[in-house]
mmCIF file of all heavy atoms in Angstrom:
data_model
loop_
_atom_site.group_PDB
_atom_site.id
_atom_site.type_symbol
_atom_site.label_atom_id
_atom_site.label_comp_id
_atom_site.label_asym_id
_atom_site.label_seq_id
_atom_site.Cartn_x
_atom_site.Cartn_y
_atom_site.Cartn_z
ATOM 1 N N PRO A 152 19.964 -54.722 36.721
ATOM 2 C CA PRO A 152 20.485 -55.564 37.629
ATOM 3 C C PRO A 152 20.647 -57.046 37.302
ATOM 4 O O PRO A 152 21.336 -57.809 37.944
ATOM 5 C CB PRO A 152 19.403 -55.536 38.790
ATOM 6 C CG PRO A 152 18.123 -54.979 38.147
ATOM 7 C CD PRO A 152 18.576 -54.190 36.921
ATOM 8 N N SER A 153 20.118 -57.376 36.056
ATOM 9 C CA SER A 153 20.385 -58.730 35.583
ATOM 10 C C SER A 153 19.735 -58.860 34.191
ATOM 11 O O SER A 153 18.977 -57.995 33.841
ATOM 12 C CB SER A 153 19.695 -59.850 36.488
ATOM 13 O OG SER A 153 18.295 -59.676 36.329
ATOM 14 N N LEU A 154 20.121 -59.926 33.487
ATOM 15 C CA LEU A 154 19.397 -60.145 32.162
ATOM 16 C C LEU A 154 17.993 -60.472 32.273
ATOM 17 O O LEU A 154 17.187 -59.995 31.570
ATOM 18 C CB LEU A 154 20.028 -61.335 31.449
ATOM 19 C CG LEU A 154 21.399 -61.085 30.814
ATOM 20 C CD1 LEU A 154 21.794 -62.364 29.938
ATOM 21 C CD2 LEU A 154 21.299 -59.868 29.898
ATOM 22 N N TYR A 155 17.598 -61.117 33.345
ATOM 23 C CA TYR A 155 16.137 -61.317 33.634
ATOM 24 C C TYR A 155 15.351 -60.007 33.712
ATOM 25 O O TYR A 155 14.372 -59.888 33.137
ATOM 26 C CB TYR A 155 16.108 -62.204 34.909
ATOM 27 C CG TYR A 155 14.676 -62.323 35.496
ATOM 28 C CD1 TYR A 155 13.784 -63.259 35.161
ATOM 29 C CD2 TYR A 155 14.233 -61.313 36.530
ATOM 30 C CE1 TYR A 155 12.562 -63.336 35.724
ATOM 31 C CE2 TYR A 155 13.012 -61.372 37.011
ATOM 32 C CZ TYR A 155 12.156 -62.378 36.688
ATOM 33 O OH TYR A 155 10.862 -62.390 37.297
ATOM 34 N N ASP A 156 15.932 -59.079 34.502
ATOM 35 C CA ASP A 156 15.238 -57.741 34.696
ATOM 36 C C ASP A 156 15.279 -56.999 33.363
ATOM 37 O O ASP A 156 14.314 -56.268 33.103
ATOM 38 C CB ASP A 156 15.892 -57.069 35.822
ATOM 39 C CG ASP A 156 15.630 -57.695 37.177
ATOM 40 O OD1 ASP A 156 14.435 -57.714 37.583
ATOM 41 O OD2 ASP A 156 16.565 -58.283 37.722
ATOM 42 N N LEU A 157 16.421 -57.116 32.624
ATOM 43 C CA LEU A 157 16.492 -56.428 31.344
ATOM 44 C C LEU A 157 15.443 -56.795 30.418
ATOM 45 O O LEU A 157 14.712 -56.043 29.841
ATOM 46 C CB LEU A 157 17.879 -56.605 30.717
ATOM 47 C CG LEU A 157 18.195 -55.824 29.579
ATOM 48 C CD1 LEU A 157 18.253 -54.354 29.787
ATOM 49 C CD2 LEU A 157 19.508 -56.187 28.925
ATOM 50 N N ARG A 158 15.253 -58.102 30.372
ATOM 51 C CA ARG A 158 14.257 -58.684 29.514
ATOM 52 C C ARG A 158 12.794 -58.238 29.915
ATOM 53 O O ARG A 158 11.933 -57.823 29.123
ATOM 54 C CB ARG A 158 14.292 -60.137 29.489
ATOM 55 C CG ARG A 158 13.310 -60.899 28.798
ATOM 56 C CD ARG A 158 12.143 -61.314 29.692
ATOM 57 N NE ARG A 158 11.000 -61.814 28.869
ATOM 58 C CZ ARG A 158 9.750 -61.737 29.258
ATOM 59 N NH1 ARG A 158 9.394 -61.226 30.438
ATOM 60 N NH2 ARG A 158 8.814 -62.232 28.430
ATOM 61 N N ASN A 159 12.638 -58.092 31.232
ATOM 62 C CA ASN A 159 11.262 -57.725 31.736
ATOM 63 C C ASN A 159 11.026 -56.257 31.375
ATOM 64 O O ASN A 159 9.851 -55.908 30.969
ATOM 65 C CB ASN A 159 11.178 -57.940 33.253
ATOM 66 C CG ASN A 159 10.763 -59.294 33.590
ATOM 67 O OD1 ASN A 159 10.429 -60.161 32.762
ATOM 68 N ND2 ASN A 159 10.905 -59.662 34.902
ATOM 69 N N PHE A 221 10.725 -50.042 39.343
ATOM 70 C CA PHE A 221 9.839 -51.016 39.985
ATOM 71 C C PHE A 221 8.605 -50.249 40.684
ATOM 72 O O PHE A 221 7.461 -50.815 40.650
ATOM 73 C CB PHE A 221 10.550 -51.819 40.952
ATOM 74 C CG PHE A 221 11.582 -52.801 40.308
ATOM 75 C CD1 PHE A 221 12.889 -52.836 40.865
ATOM 76 C CD2 PHE A 221 11.171 -53.585 39.282
ATOM 77 C CE1 PHE A 221 13.800 -53.707 40.234
ATOM 78 C CE2 PHE A 221 12.147 -54.414 38.687
ATOM 79 C CZ PHE A 221 13.435 -54.550 39.164
ATOM 80 N N HIS A 259 1.229 -58.420 33.858
ATOM 81 C CA HIS A 259 2.663 -58.810 33.982
ATOM 82 C C HIS A 259 3.446 -57.516 34.400
ATOM 83 O O HIS A 259 4.366 -57.657 35.145
ATOM 84 C CB HIS A 259 3.131 -59.287 32.600
ATOM 85 C CG HIS A 259 4.635 -59.423 32.558
ATOM 86 N ND1 HIS A 259 5.323 -60.465 33.245
ATOM 87 C CD2 HIS A 259 5.559 -58.732 31.931
ATOM 88 C CE1 HIS A 259 6.566 -60.300 33.057
ATOM 89 N NE2 HIS A 259 6.810 -59.275 32.239
ATOM 90 N N PHE A 262 3.206 -57.275 38.006
ATOM 91 C CA PHE A 262 4.016 -58.307 38.531
ATOM 92 C C PHE A 262 5.417 -57.980 38.541
ATOM 93 O O PHE A 262 6.185 -58.141 39.617
ATOM 94 C CB PHE A 262 3.824 -59.637 37.734
ATOM 95 C CG PHE A 262 4.907 -60.700 37.971
ATOM 96 C CD1 PHE A 262 4.690 -61.580 39.038
ATOM 97 C CD2 PHE A 262 6.021 -60.757 37.183
ATOM 98 C CE1 PHE A 262 5.624 -62.524 39.348
ATOM 99 C CE2 PHE A 262 6.962 -61.737 37.448
ATOM 100 C CZ PHE A 262 6.775 -62.642 38.470
ATOM 101 N N VAL A 263 5.881 -57.313 37.576
ATOM 102 C CA VAL A 263 7.332 -56.873 37.509
ATOM 103 C C VAL A 263 7.586 -55.915 38.571
ATOM 104 O O VAL A 263 8.608 -55.965 39.309
ATOM 105 C CB VAL A 263 7.684 -56.251 36.229
ATOM 106 C CG1 VAL A 263 9.035 -55.524 36.123
ATOM 107 C CG2 VAL A 263 7.737 -57.300 35.033
ATOM 108 N N GLY A 264 6.712 -54.878 38.865
ATOM 109 C CA GLY A 264 6.873 -53.921 39.864
ATOM 110 C C GLY A 264 6.727 -54.523 41.258
ATOM 111 O O GLY A 264 7.634 -54.311 42.122
ATOM 112 N N ASP A 265 5.698 -55.284 41.459
ATOM 113 C CA ASP A 265 5.434 -55.801 42.817
ATOM 114 C C ASP A 265 6.573 -56.705 43.162
ATOM 115 O O ASP A 265 7.120 -56.614 44.398
ATOM 116 C CB ASP A 265 4.091 -56.615 42.690
ATOM 117 C CG ASP A 265 3.590 -57.072 43.968
ATOM 118 O OD1 ASP A 265 4.347 -57.082 45.017
ATOM 119 O OD2 ASP A 265 2.373 -57.462 44.054
ATOM 120 N N THR A 266 6.986 -57.692 42.358
ATOM 121 C CA THR A 266 8.049 -58.569 42.749
ATOM 122 C C THR A 266 9.461 -57.830 42.811
ATOM 123 O O THR A 266 10.377 -58.255 43.492
ATOM 124 C CB THR A 266 8.147 -59.772 41.752
ATOM 125 O OG1 THR A 266 8.287 -59.354 40.396
ATOM 126 C CG2 THR A 266 6.878 -60.704 41.896
ATOM 127 N N GLY A 267 9.573 -56.906 41.859
ATOM 128 C CA GLY A 267 10.842 -56.127 41.804
ATOM 129 C C GLY A 267 11.095 -55.397 43.168
ATOM 130 O O GLY A 267 12.133 -55.626 43.701
ATOM 131 N N VAL A 268 10.093 -54.698 43.684
ATOM 132 C CA VAL A 268 10.310 -54.115 44.963
ATOM 133 C C VAL A 268 10.401 -55.119 45.959
ATOM 134 O O VAL A 268 11.319 -55.059 46.892
ATOM 135 C CB VAL A 268 8.981 -53.219 45.342
ATOM 136 C CG1 VAL A 268 9.205 -52.568 46.717
ATOM 137 C CG2 VAL A 268 8.847 -52.031 44.291
ATOM 138 N N GLY A 269 9.686 -56.193 45.943
ATOM 139 C CA GLY A 269 9.748 -57.330 46.898
ATOM 140 C C GLY A 269 11.096 -57.945 46.948
ATOM 141 O O GLY A 269 11.647 -58.191 48.075
ATOM 142 N N ARG A 270 11.787 -58.024 45.772
ATOM 143 C CA ARG A 270 13.122 -58.676 45.754
ATOM 144 C C ARG A 270 14.129 -57.685 46.330
ATOM 145 O O ARG A 270 15.111 -58.163 47.012
ATOM 146 C CB ARG A 270 13.456 -59.001 44.344
ATOM 147 C CG ARG A 270 12.680 -60.255 43.792
ATOM 148 C CD ARG A 270 12.740 -60.300 42.269
ATOM 149 N NE ARG A 270 14.050 -60.250 41.830
ATOM 150 C CZ ARG A 270 14.466 -59.666 40.659
ATOM 151 N NH1 ARG A 270 13.498 -59.113 39.842
ATOM 152 N NH2 ARG A 270 15.663 -59.687 40.286
ATOM 153 N N ILE A 271 13.890 -56.371 46.174
ATOM 154 C CA ILE A 271 14.824 -55.440 46.755
ATOM 155 C C ILE A 271 14.625 -55.424 48.357
ATOM 156 O O ILE A 271 15.622 -55.449 49.021
ATOM 157 C CB ILE A 271 14.588 -53.930 46.193
ATOM 158 C CG1 ILE A 271 15.050 -53.951 44.809
ATOM 159 C CG2 ILE A 271 15.250 -52.924 47.085
ATOM 160 C CD1 ILE A 271 14.859 -52.551 44.071
ATOM 161 N N GLU A 273 13.623 -57.859 50.157
ATOM 162 C CA GLU A 273 14.222 -59.165 50.715
ATOM 163 C C GLU A 273 15.770 -58.957 50.854
ATOM 164 O O GLU A 273 16.303 -59.268 51.850
ATOM 165 C CB GLU A 273 13.839 -60.342 49.791
ATOM 166 C CG GLU A 273 14.610 -61.502 50.138
ATOM 167 C CD GLU A 273 13.787 -62.755 50.269
ATOM 168 O OE1 GLU A 273 12.672 -62.711 49.549
ATOM 169 O OE2 GLU A 273 14.069 -63.722 50.946
ATOM 170 N N ARG A 274 16.401 -58.446 49.815
ATOM 171 C CA ARG A 274 17.853 -58.213 49.902
ATOM 172 C C ARG A 274 18.178 -57.256 51.000
ATOM 173 O O ARG A 274 19.131 -57.492 51.816
ATOM 174 C CB ARG A 274 18.361 -57.644 48.512
ATOM 175 C CG ARG A 274 19.911 -57.513 48.495
ATOM 176 C CD ARG A 274 20.565 -58.904 48.715
ATOM 177 N NE ARG A 274 22.081 -58.647 48.643
ATOM 178 C CZ ARG A 274 22.812 -59.382 49.389
ATOM 179 N NH1 ARG A 274 22.403 -60.310 50.200
ATOM 180 N NH2 ARG A 274 24.101 -59.148 49.322
ATOM 181 N N GLN A 277 18.152 -59.204 54.073
ATOM 182 C CA GLN A 277 19.365 -59.993 54.298
ATOM 183 C C GLN A 277 20.516 -59.246 54.843
ATOM 184 O O GLN A 277 21.190 -59.584 55.679
ATOM 185 C CB GLN A 277 19.660 -60.666 52.865
ATOM 186 C CG GLN A 277 18.741 -61.685 52.516
ATOM 187 C CD GLN A 277 19.019 -62.310 51.092
ATOM 188 O OE1 GLN A 277 19.994 -61.741 50.361
ATOM 189 N NE2 GLN A 277 18.360 -63.244 50.624
ATOM 190 N N ARG A 395 9.167 -61.755 58.113
ATOM 191 C CA ARG A 395 9.867 -63.173 58.088
ATOM 192 C C ARG A 395 11.280 -62.998 58.527
ATOM 193 O O ARG A 395 11.835 -64.003 59.088
ATOM 194 C CB ARG A 395 9.686 -63.647 56.690
ATOM 195 C CG ARG A 395 10.025 -65.108 56.402
ATOM 196 C CD ARG A 395 9.340 -65.699 55.209
ATOM 197 N NE ARG A 395 9.236 -64.838 54.023
ATOM 198 C CZ ARG A 395 10.172 -64.719 53.159
ATOM 199 N NH1 ARG A 395 11.430 -65.267 53.385
ATOM 200 N NH2 ARG A 395 10.004 -63.890 52.224
ATOM 201 N N GLU A 460 25.629 -60.959 32.732
ATOM 202 C CA GLU A 460 25.973 -62.341 32.796
ATOM 203 C C GLU A 460 24.791 -63.129 33.230
ATOM 204 O O GLU A 460 24.172 -62.827 34.307
ATOM 205 C CB GLU A 460 27.216 -62.448 33.823
ATOM 206 C CG GLU A 460 28.025 -63.671 33.695
ATOM 207 C CD GLU A 460 29.066 -63.740 34.695
ATOM 208 O OE1 GLU A 460 29.758 -62.706 34.879
ATOM 209 O OE2 GLU A 460 29.270 -64.727 35.373
ATOM 210 N N PRO A 461 24.425 -64.140 32.508
ATOM 211 C CA PRO A 461 23.214 -64.882 32.811
ATOM 212 C C PRO A 461 23.321 -65.492 34.192
ATOM 213 O O PRO A 461 24.284 -65.969 34.630
ATOM 214 C CB PRO A 461 23.227 -66.114 31.776
ATOM 215 C CG PRO A 461 24.025 -65.587 30.676
ATOM 216 C CD PRO A 461 24.977 -64.623 31.223
ATOM 217 N N GLY A 462 22.229 -65.325 34.953
ATOM 218 C CA GLY A 462 22.148 -65.857 36.385
ATOM 219 C C GLY A 462 22.784 -64.941 37.466
ATOM 220 O O GLY A 462 22.715 -65.359 38.610
ATOM 221 N N LYS A 463 23.380 -63.896 37.022
ATOM 222 C CA LYS A 463 24.036 -62.952 38.035
ATOM 223 C C LYS A 463 23.046 -61.840 38.315
ATOM 224 O O LYS A 463 22.358 -61.418 37.397
ATOM 225 C CB LYS A 463 25.372 -62.364 37.553
ATOM 226 C CG LYS A 463 26.517 -63.318 37.770
ATOM 227 C CD LYS A 463 27.778 -62.582 37.757
ATOM 228 C CE LYS A 463 28.477 -62.522 39.118
ATOM 229 N NZ LYS A 463 29.702 -61.703 39.195
ATOM 230 N N PHE A 464 23.025 -61.369 39.605
ATOM 231 C CA PHE A 464 22.096 -60.330 39.976
ATOM 232 C C PHE A 464 22.938 -59.236 40.813
ATOM 233 O O PHE A 464 23.916 -59.555 41.423
ATOM 234 C CB PHE A 464 21.063 -60.860 40.846
ATOM 235 C CG PHE A 464 20.007 -61.686 40.067
ATOM 236 C CD1 PHE A 464 20.316 -62.901 39.617
ATOM 237 C CD2 PHE A 464 18.856 -61.064 39.557
ATOM 238 C CE1 PHE A 464 19.484 -63.642 38.806
ATOM 239 C CE2 PHE A 464 18.028 -61.718 38.840
ATOM 240 C CZ PHE A 464 18.211 -63.059 38.422
ATOM 241 N N ALA A 465 22.500 -57.937 40.632
ATOM 242 C CA ALA A 465 23.151 -56.813 41.413
ATOM 243 C C ALA A 465 22.999 -57.269 42.915
ATOM 244 O O ALA A 465 22.060 -57.867 43.326
ATOM 245 C CB ALA A 465 22.493 -55.611 40.994
ATOM 246 N N TYR A 467 21.929 -55.377 45.300
ATOM 247 C CA TYR A 467 20.831 -54.767 45.971
ATOM 248 C C TYR A 467 19.465 -55.495 45.805
ATOM 249 O O TYR A 467 18.454 -55.098 46.285
ATOM 250 C CB TYR A 467 20.772 -53.338 45.681
ATOM 251 C CG TYR A 467 20.366 -53.090 44.217
ATOM 252 C CD1 TYR A 467 19.128 -53.117 43.751
ATOM 253 C CD2 TYR A 467 21.399 -52.894 43.264
ATOM 254 C CE1 TYR A 467 18.818 -52.937 42.339
ATOM 255 C CE2 TYR A 467 21.209 -52.599 41.916
ATOM 256 C CZ TYR A 467 19.867 -52.658 41.461
ATOM 257 O OH TYR A 467 19.587 -52.431 40.153
ATOM 258 N N ILE A 468 19.558 -56.646 45.063
ATOM 259 C CA ILE A 468 18.277 -57.352 44.705
ATOM 260 C C ILE A 468 18.540 -58.869 44.758
ATOM 261 O O ILE A 468 19.564 -59.371 44.268
ATOM 262 C CB ILE A 468 17.772 -56.789 43.358
ATOM 263 C CG1 ILE A 468 16.339 -57.324 43.120
ATOM 264 C CG2 ILE A 468 18.763 -57.174 42.261
ATOM 265 C CD1 ILE A 468 15.635 -56.453 42.023
ATOM 266 N N VAL A 469 17.457 -59.601 45.341
ATOM 267 C CA VAL A 469 17.622 -61.082 45.189
ATOM 268 C C VAL A 469 17.096 -61.575 43.822
ATOM 269 O O VAL A 469 16.388 -60.952 43.211
ATOM 270 C CB VAL A 469 16.872 -61.802 46.365
ATOM 271 C CG1 VAL A 469 17.433 -61.326 47.683
ATOM 272 C CG2 VAL A 469 15.419 -61.608 46.284
ATOM 273 N N PRO A 470 17.556 -62.796 43.465
ATOM 274 C CA PRO A 470 17.003 -63.293 42.181
ATOM 275 C C PRO A 470 15.552 -63.557 42.340
ATOM 276 O O PRO A 470 15.024 -63.700 43.456
ATOM 277 C CB PRO A 470 17.747 -64.709 42.002
ATOM 278 C CG PRO A 470 18.971 -64.599 42.902
ATOM 279 C CD PRO A 470 18.621 -63.679 44.000
ATOM 280 N N PRO A 471 14.777 -63.725 41.212
ATOM 281 C CA PRO A 471 13.362 -64.052 41.336
ATOM 282 C C PRO A 471 13.126 -65.484 41.789
ATOM 283 O O PRO A 471 14.132 -66.325 41.726
ATOM 284 C CB PRO A 471 12.851 -63.784 39.903
ATOM 285 C CG PRO A 471 14.073 -64.121 39.052
ATOM 286 C CD PRO A 471 15.235 -63.652 39.851
ATOM 287 N N ALA A 472 12.011 -65.820 42.146
ATOM 288 C CA ALA A 472 11.621 -67.160 42.583
ATOM 289 C C ALA A 472 11.767 -68.129 41.376
ATOM 290 O O ALA A 472 12.186 -69.251 41.582
ATOM 291 C CB ALA A 472 10.210 -67.157 43.168
ATOM 292 N N ARG A 473 11.418 -67.598 40.255
ATOM 293 C CA ARG A 473 11.511 -68.511 39.095
ATOM 294 C C ARG A 473 11.803 -67.717 37.830
ATOM 295 O O ARG A 473 11.597 -66.529 37.785
ATOM 296 C CB ARG A 473 10.250 -69.398 38.954
ATOM 297 C CG ARG A 473 8.982 -68.650 38.768
ATOM 298 C CD ARG A 473 7.687 -69.665 38.825
ATOM 299 N NE ARG A 473 7.617 -70.212 40.180
ATOM 300 C CZ ARG A 473 6.996 -69.510 41.102
ATOM 301 N NH1 ARG A 473 6.390 -68.344 40.974
ATOM 302 N NH2 ARG A 473 7.003 -69.993 42.445
ATOM 303 N N GLY A 474 12.122 -68.441 36.677
ATOM 304 C CA GLY A 474 12.413 -67.711 35.537
ATOM 305 C C GLY A 474 11.149 -67.504 34.721
ATOM 306 O O GLY A 474 9.982 -67.613 35.235
ATOM 307 N N ILE A 475 11.277 -67.184 33.419
ATOM 308 C CA ILE A 475 10.150 -66.929 32.583
ATOM 309 C C ILE A 475 9.751 -68.024 31.708
ATOM 310 O O ILE A 475 10.656 -68.658 31.094
ATOM 311 C CB ILE A 475 10.523 -65.636 31.651
ATOM 312 C CG1 ILE A 475 10.625 -64.455 32.684
ATOM 313 C CG2 ILE A 475 9.452 -65.330 30.687
ATOM 314 C CD1 ILE A 475 11.613 -63.482 32.244
ATOM 315 N N LYS A 476 8.520 -68.310 31.694
ATOM 316 C CA LYS A 476 7.992 -69.422 30.849
ATOM 317 C C LYS A 476 8.717 -70.699 31.006
ATOM 318 O O LYS A 476 9.111 -71.316 30.023
ATOM 319 C CB LYS A 476 8.024 -68.841 29.385
ATOM 320 C CG LYS A 476 7.433 -69.720 28.232
ATOM 321 C CD LYS A 476 5.869 -69.704 28.321
ATOM 322 C CE LYS A 476 5.335 -70.514 27.203
ATOM 323 N NZ LYS A 476 3.958 -70.955 27.451
ATOM 324 N N LYS A 478 11.695 -71.190 31.802
ATOM 325 C CA LYS A 478 13.114 -71.232 31.621
ATOM 326 C C LYS A 478 13.815 -71.028 32.916
ATOM 327 O O LYS A 478 13.286 -70.345 33.930
ATOM 328 C CB LYS A 478 13.495 -69.996 30.733
ATOM 329 C CG LYS A 478 12.874 -70.123 29.306
ATOM 330 C CD LYS A 478 13.674 -71.075 28.480
ATOM 331 C CE LYS A 478 12.990 -71.046 27.098
ATOM 332 N NZ LYS A 478 12.809 -72.443 26.536
ATOM 333 N N PRO A 479 15.090 -71.486 33.099
ATOM 334 C CA PRO A 479 15.721 -71.334 34.331
ATOM 335 C C PRO A 479 16.248 -69.783 34.531
ATOM 336 O O PRO A 479 16.209 -68.983 33.647
ATOM 337 C CB PRO A 479 17.129 -72.149 34.176
ATOM 338 C CG PRO A 479 17.244 -72.333 32.594
ATOM 339 C CD PRO A 479 15.804 -72.212 32.095
ATOM 340 N N ILE A 480 16.465 -69.525 35.776
ATOM 341 C CA ILE A 480 16.891 -68.108 36.124
ATOM 342 C C ILE A 480 18.079 -67.693 35.349
ATOM 343 O O ILE A 480 18.262 -66.454 34.997
ATOM 344 C CB ILE A 480 16.943 -67.911 37.623
ATOM 345 C CG1 ILE A 480 15.551 -68.085 38.261
ATOM 346 C CG2 ILE A 480 17.588 -66.620 38.039
ATOM 347 C CD1 ILE A 480 15.590 -68.173 39.754
ATOM 348 N N ASP A 481 18.975 -68.670 35.062
ATOM 349 C CA ASP A 481 20.217 -68.234 34.367
ATOM 350 C C ASP A 481 20.168 -68.365 32.822
ATOM 351 O O ASP A 481 21.151 -68.471 32.181
ATOM 352 C CB ASP A 481 21.433 -69.015 34.859
ATOM 353 C CG ASP A 481 21.301 -70.493 34.705
ATOM 354 O OD1 ASP A 481 20.362 -70.963 34.094
ATOM 355 O OD2 ASP A 481 22.304 -71.281 35.135
ATOM 356 N N PHE A 482 18.968 -68.404 32.348
ATOM 357 C CA PHE A 482 18.753 -68.451 30.916
ATOM 358 C C PHE A 482 19.250 -67.143 30.359
ATOM 359 O O PHE A 482 19.080 -66.070 30.948
ATOM 360 C CB PHE A 482 17.206 -68.563 30.641
ATOM 361 C CG PHE A 482 16.816 -68.702 29.214
ATOM 362 C CD1 PHE A 482 17.103 -69.874 28.523
ATOM 363 C CD2 PHE A 482 16.046 -67.687 28.650
ATOM 364 C CE1 PHE A 482 16.805 -69.891 27.190
ATOM 365 C CE2 PHE A 482 15.675 -67.679 27.316
ATOM 366 C CZ PHE A 482 16.013 -68.893 26.526
ATOM 367 N N TYR A 484 18.242 -64.346 28.737
ATOM 368 C CA TYR A 484 17.061 -63.710 28.343
ATOM 369 C C TYR A 484 17.175 -62.659 27.330
ATOM 370 O O TYR A 484 16.257 -62.306 26.426
ATOM 371 C CB TYR A 484 16.292 -63.177 29.533
ATOM 372 C CG TYR A 484 15.688 -64.215 30.402
ATOM 373 C CD1 TYR A 484 16.300 -64.563 31.621
ATOM 374 C CD2 TYR A 484 14.628 -64.891 30.002
ATOM 375 C CE1 TYR A 484 15.782 -65.577 32.421
ATOM 376 C CE2 TYR A 484 13.985 -65.952 30.712
ATOM 377 C CZ TYR A 484 14.643 -66.254 31.951
ATOM 378 O OH TYR A 484 14.205 -67.182 32.754
#
Side-chain angles (χ1 to χ4, degrees):
S153 71
L154 280 188
Y155 166 89
D156 291 292
L157 184 65
R158 176 266 169 206
N159 279 347
F221 290 135
H259 172 69
F262 164 85
V263 168
D265 189 344
T266 56
V268 176
R270 288 162 53 213
I271 289 180
E273 172 134 23
R274 182 61 183 147
Q277 289 176 354
R395 197 153 36 81
E460 203 180 310
K463 276 202 114 183
F464 287 80
Y467 60 85
I468 191 165
V469 298
R473 61 190 67 83
I475 292 149
K476 187 70 181 162
K478 299 283 185 227
I480 289 170
D481 63 1
F482 183 68
Y484 289 105

